[in-house]
Amino acid sequence: FLMLLSMVFLPYYLKTKISTIPQFLLIRFGKRSYNFLVIYSLISILVVWLGSALYAGGLLISGIFNCSLFVAVVIIAIVATSFTAIGGLKAVVRTGVFQSIIIIVSSILLTFLGFQKIGSVDLLVSQTPDSFWKLFLPASNPEYSWIAIILGYPVVAIYYWCADQTIVQKVLAAKNLKEGQYGAIFIGALKIIMPLIFILPGIMCYVLFKDTAQADNAYITMIKELMPHGLLGLSIAALIASLIDTVSSSLNSFCTVFTLDVVSQIKVLNQKQQIKMGKWITIIAAIVGVGIAMVFSYSGKNFFELSQGLVSILAPPLSVVFLAG
């Protein structure tokens, strides 16, 4: 689906010279569709991206430092808001590059340390349920049947990778089409190693720390228990930077859509006024995001189910409209 973004969607986006995703619908379908998507995008950024990222960050920070979830969420919101309001998209991108390199390296090392502790692949497989190693579960499975994966994932993925402001704004900022396509293809290549460095450590955690870890804290449990002290600090710093990067991307995309697509319809602003307005909107969005994150904490669902459930509700209309467009 990242290939679909680079080959099909991105050429249209850059040819029309849009700054935000709703502007594509303004050109393609007119003002009513545009206004609807502006509201839809703002809600989806707040709920799917900002709220869930702050909640994930809160779970991580509170687990490491034994503080309350609310305090952890507020700290992340303050840090992300401060440099997003001051540095804009450039600051967001630089943070993303820094944390990505460290997380990939530390996760490869974590997978290696996990294998060392368990002993062999055969021992790992023998101590885990068969379902852990199956991507396609029977049609009777109530949550993740193979039918849901085959028919459901493309609907979610077209919205998530090809039509979501928080993801697509990174390639909209490309110097030209080729640069944007290189970026999307490079991320596609990195995605290939994801199962090995993020899903496998979770399965290892089930074998090594079954009695102490839950789904939401499996990765941080592996880091705390297996990483040498120097690398432990670096890995935790990278995880926090990763979460702050997601929060700051969400804040930046929210203020971009609000400033360019909402405020511009009411009042014409010059670039200096747009930047000033964007800073205030970033702060307000962060406060709302903290509230949404705290609501998530009372949902009774684990983080994966919660975030995927929200995306699957918001995705189908946008996937259909953007494919048609």
Side-chain angles (χ1 to χ4, degrees):
F1 291 94
L2 279 159
M3 296 294 286
L4 192 69
L5 170 64
S6 65
M7 295 165 66
V8 179
F9 284 81
L10 191 57
Y12 274 98
Y13 292 156
L14 295 186
K15 188 167 69 178
T16 51
K17 293 184 169 60
I18 59 170
S19 301
T20 66
I21 290 297
Q23 289 172 5
F24 178 73
L25 290 200
L26 176 63
I27 294 163
R28 192 68 188 81
F29 296 117
K31 194 72 179 282
R32 288 172 68 190
S33 297
Y34 166 67
N35 285 333
F36 181 82
L37 185 57
V38 168
I39 297 164
Y40 199 88
S41 294
L42 292 173
I43 292 169
S44 70
I45 292 166
L46 279 174
V47 176
V48 173
W49 283 100
L50 189 55
S52 60
L54 284 169
Y55 179 47
L59 289 171
L60 177 72
I61 300 290
S62 60
I64 296 167
F65 299 108
N66 294 320
C67 61
S68 73
L69 182 67
F70 178 72
V71 170
V73 167
V74 169
I75 289 169
I76 291 171
I78 290 169
V79 174
T81 304
S82 61
F83 81 80
T84 307
I86 295 164
L89 185 59
K90 190 177 283 188
V92 172
V93 171
R94 283 176 176 167
T95 310
V97 171
F98 161 75
Q99 59 83 13
S100 297
I101 293 166
I102 298 175
I103 277 195
I104 289 167
V105 172
S106 63
S107 296
I108 290 169
L109 180 61
L110 185 66
T111 305
F112 173 74
L113 292 171
F115 268 126
Q116 264 197 332
K117 186 92 171 171
I118 291 167
S120 70
V121 176
D122 290 339
L123 282 170
L124 176 65
V125 173
S126 66
Q127 295 180 66
T128 50
D130 288 345
S131 61
F132 276 32
W133 305 101
K134 290 178 181 174
L135 181 61
F136 298 114
L137 300 175
S140 58
N141 187 284
E143 289 180 323
Y144 301 110
S145 76
W146 69 268
I147 300 169
I149 301 297
I150 296 291
L151 299 181
Y153 184 74
V155 177
V156 173
I158 288 167
Y159 155 71
Y160 187 91
W161 293 113
C162 305
D164 181 81
Q165 176 69 23
T166 307
I167 293 289
V168 179
Q169 69 174 353
K170 308 282 176 66
V171 288
L172 292 182
K175 292 176 188 173
N176 52 51
L177 176 59
K178 184 165 273 191
E179 289 286 316
Q181 288 175 323
Y182 280 156
I185 291 167
F186 177 62
I187 293 298
L190 288 179
K191 278 283 167 191
I192 294 167
I193 62 172
M194 287 280 283
L196 290 172
I197 65 173
F198 290 130
I199 296 173
L200 203 55
I203 296 174
M204 290 174 176
C205 185
Y206 176 85
V207 173
L208 295 171
F209 310 108
K210 189 191 298 186
D211 298 329
T212 55
Q214 283 93 38
D216 279 344
N217 66 5
Y219 193 79
I220 194 64
T221 300
M222 289 286 284
I223 285 175
K224 284 166 74 175
E225 296 293 337
L226 298 183
M227 280 287 193
H229 281 293
L231 287 169
L232 170 65
L234 192 64
S235 300
I236 290 171
L239 275 173
I240 293 168
S242 170
L243 288 157
I244 289 172
D245 172 52
T246 306
V247 173
S248 58
S249 293
S250 313
L251 289 169
N252 186 262
S253 59
F254 184 90
C255 86
T256 302
V257 171
F258 198 93
T259 305
L260 297 183
D261 295 321
V262 177
V263 177
S264 63
Q265 295 190 55
I266 303 162
K267 186 181 179 182
V268 178
L269 303 175
N270 59 38
Q271 191 172 11
K272 193 173 181 181
Q273 289 171 321
Q274 284 179 350
I275 291 168
K276 189 177 180 182
M277 174 71 74
K279 288 177 180 178
W280 282 108
I281 290 163
T282 300
I283 293 166
I284 293 165
I287 294 167
V288 175
V290 169
I292 293 169
M294 294 313 297
V295 170
F296 286 168
S297 68
Y298 295 103
S299 68
K301 292 182 177 291
N302 72 42
F303 178 70
F304 181 81
E305 288 175 346
L306 185 66
S307 58
Q308 297 307 303
L310 290 168
V311 172
S312 65
I313 292 165
L314 291 165
L318 277 190
S319 295
V320 170
V321 170
F322 272 80
L323 272 180

